[in-house]
Amino acid sequence: MRAAVVAFCLALAAPALAEDAAADEGDKPAKPFSIVAMPIPVSNPAIGNGLAVAALGIYAHDKAAPPWVTGVGGMYADSRSWAAFAGQQANLRQDAVRLTLGGGVGDFHLDFYGIGAVAGDRNHAIPIGQKGGGLIAAALFRVRPHSYLGVRYRGVAVKTTLDLTELPFPDLELPQVEMDSASSALGLAAEYDSRDSQFGPREGAYVTADWLVAGAALGSDFDYDRLQLAANAYRALSDKAVIAARLSICDSGDGAPFFDLCLFGQNNDLRGYDPGRYRDHTLAAVQVEYRRDLFWRIGAVAFAGVGGVAPSFDKLGSPLLPAAGVGLRLKASRAHRVNASIDFAFGEDSQAFYFYIGEAF
């Protein structure tokens, strides 16, 4: 643990100090264009250990709007998993229009536990390979203060291979139609955003909701709808301390392929679980995090939460999956409150390290 933290801080301190040099020289303004670029250790229960390289360009297009963000990156892990991605977030007309475009490709070697809480509890998986790519695009328009409504598109193409030399449970065998297929979905998207900062909020709320419908008319091999909702709230307790809370809900309807079911542990809901070990049509999770600045650019967090998966909302609640953990933060950009983060989290019978740019939520 100590070696990982030391290497993490040394790798990040130099670019962080260079990026904010202008902001630390008396009353000189912070740079209008900031770059946060760094190597990030990968330690993930799903894909193993490796290295990622990520770069964020953060720049002001309109002083009355949040900054634009351009991101690129890639990763490789010792499971022979790799990925490359790029994305753009833009805010136009004094934040009246929010545009998002992103995509990526990858080849992942994972474990497949089956579908449902019972499959996750038995903790027996077979190797699975997933190769493919995805694209997301969204356009949101302000309809009232802090509130946005628009459309979102999400397309995913996946080719799956399974090692069926050992099949201890019949439900681990997947339908042939899902082995080489695509999901293409379009629908409504909404946001409520009253945060005082896009990257390191201390006050306000951020709520996102998507309702997407996949169908043959869009080029999808499956017909189903998918609902995703996340609600974050932030409250400053002092100049150095913040309490943050998150509620996450997912519902992937009948007809959804196994790769587009709700995955517990994905999107850091909750940390400490192998994403994919618990997967089903419905998911709910809630967590609370305490964040505190310590000294210089160093901060710390502590978090805990609980959640679960089920075939439908009325069956949620058994079993409940708890999680908790602690983490360190290094402020990579003071101007935009961007942290480089390392967390250690543990679930009911699992644990994991997480390295990433920004906050968990």
Side-chain angles (χ1 to χ4, degrees):
M1 172 67 173
R2 176 186 290 180
V5 173
V6 170
F8 174 73
C9 292
L10 288 176
L12 301 182
L17 289 172
E19 185 273 323
D20 275 334
D24 290 339
E25 294 178 4
D27 52 7
K28 287 185 180 180
K31 293 180 179 180
F33 185 89
S34 299
I35 296 178
V36 179
M38 59 193 70
I40 303 173
V42 173
S43 180
N44 187 290
I47 60 175
N49 302 311
L51 184 69
V53 178
L56 293 180
I58 307 170
Y59 45 100
H61 176 76
D62 185 338
K63 292 182 179 180
W68 287 27
V69 181
T70 301
V72 295
M75 61 75 58
Y76 184 84
D78 57 7
S79 63
R80 295 179 290 112
S81 298
W82 63 268
F85 56 87
Q88 175 69 47
Q89 180 178 298
N91 306 72
L92 304 174
R93 297 176 55 192
Q94 298 183 338
D95 203 24
V97 180
R98 294 185 168 187
L99 304 177
T100 303
L101 178 65
V105 294
D107 186 356
F108 298 95
H109 298 270
L110 312 165
D111 291 326
F112 180 61
Y113 294 86
I115 297 172
V118 173
D121 284 342
R122 71 193 178 200
N123 198 19
H124 195 113
I126 60 175
I128 186 172
Q130 290 186 291
K131 179 186 297 184
L135 174 72
I136 59 170
L140 295 161
F141 305 89
R142 188 169 59 215
V143 293
R144 56 180 301 174
H146 307 301
S147 301
Y148 299 81
L149 185 65
V151 295
R152 187 181 304 273
Y153 170 80
R154 186 171 64 97
V156 181
V158 179
K159 184 175 182 178
T160 302
T161 56
L162 281 172
D163 185 352
L164 298 179
T165 55
E166 178 188 1
L167 196 64
F169 302 100
D171 63 318
L172 291 176
E173 187 170 5
L174 294 167
Q176 191 61 38
V177 68
E178 298 185 18
M179 302 299 286
D180 189 357
S181 56
S183 170
S184 181
L186 179 68
L188 297 175
E191 287 187 7
Y192 176 83
D193 189 359
S194 63
R195 295 172 295 174
D196 60 345
S197 169
Q198 182 177 356
F199 302 104
R202 294 174 50 80
E203 293 283 354
Y206 183 51
V207 182
T208 62
D210 299 334
W211 178 59
L212 305 181
V213 178
L218 296 170
S220 178
D221 295 320
F222 311 95
D223 296 309
Y224 64 100
D225 64 329
R226 196 172 197 275
L227 172 69
Q228 188 93 33
L229 181 139
N232 305 335
Y234 310 91
R235 176 78 175 183
L237 302 179
S238 68
D239 291 342
K240 293 187 175 183
V242 174
I243 190 79
R246 176 177 174 88
L247 168 68
S248 181
I249 292 173
C250 170
D251 184 68
S252 202
D254 293 339
F258 84 99
F259 59 81
D260 206 20
L261 295 177
C262 305
L263 305 184
F264 197 79
Q266 193 177 46
N267 302 321
N268 293 331
D269 297 322
L270 297 162
R271 283 160 284 180
Y273 288 90
D274 181 350
R277 175 177 169 183
Y278 290 93
R279 76 173 73 203
D280 213 328
H281 288 271
T282 302
L283 174 152
V286 61
Q287 59 181 309
V288 177
E289 184 168 285
Y290 177 75
R291 304 170 180 172
R292 185 171 182 87
D293 294 334
L294 298 178
F295 60 92
W296 189 54
R297 296 171 179 264
I298 304 299
V301 303
F303 51 88
V306 67
V309 298
S312 58
F313 280 113
D314 61 325
K315 296 180 180 179
L316 276 170
S318 179
L320 289 176
L321 302 171
V326 294
L328 287 175
R329 300 292 182 264
L330 175 67
K331 202 167 294 295
S333 171
R334 284 176 172 167
H336 298 289
R337 300 187 198 171
V338 179
N339 280 332
S341 304
I342 174 174
D343 292 336
F344 174 72
F346 55 92
E348 190 169 57
D349 56 1
S350 59
Q351 56 278 321
F353 284 101
Y354 297 83
F355 301 87
Y356 51 95
I357 299 175
E359 299 295 345
F361 59 89

